[in-house]
């Protein structure tokens, strides 16, 4: 490999949403950094089967108000 061309490959700690941790190799951050996940297999609807709607900036409420008369 050429020198100074490839990113540094080092060990980091990944922290899941439920607080569990594991160590892995990555090019993210610096050696020893901790990566906190916001979504992982414990909390993601694709794995849990529980779907919830996230209202960002009132868009869901705006949609429901706009189209509430169409479905009875």
């Amino acid at each position: 490999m050429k020198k100074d061309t490839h990113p540094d490959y080092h060990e980091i700690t990944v922290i899941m949403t439920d607080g569990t941790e594991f160590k892995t190799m990555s090019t993210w951050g610096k050696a020893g950094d901790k990566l906190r996940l916001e979504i992982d297999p414990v909390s993601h609807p694709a794995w849990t089967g529980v779907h919830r709607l996230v209202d960002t900036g009132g868009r869901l409420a705006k949609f429901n108000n706009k189209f509430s008369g169409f479905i009875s």
Side-chain angles (χ1 to χ4, degrees):
M1 293 192 300
K2 292 181 181 178
K3 281 190 169 201
D4 301 325
T5 318
H6 302 281
D8 180 38
Y9 192 61
H10 49 267
E11 188 175 84
I12 64 167
T13 302
V14 178
I15 303 172
M16 308 287 269
T17 57
D18 64 354
T20 57
E21 299 179 0
F22 67 92
K23 293 189 184 287
T24 188
M25 298 297 288
S26 176
T27 57
W28 180 85
K30 295 176 279 193
D33 279 356
K34 294 187 177 191
L35 174 64
R36 291 188 176 274
L37 299 180
E38 294 178 9
I39 296 178
D40 62 10
V42 175
S43 64
H44 195 280
W47 286 282
T48 61
V50 177
H51 296 280
R52 63 178 182 228
L53 297 173
V54 179
D55 191 4
T56 306
R59 292 180 182 175
L60 185 59
K62 184 178 177 183
F63 177 84
N64 286 336
N65 289 337
K66 186 174 183 180
F67 295 106
S68 63
F70 286 112
I71 301 174
S72 44

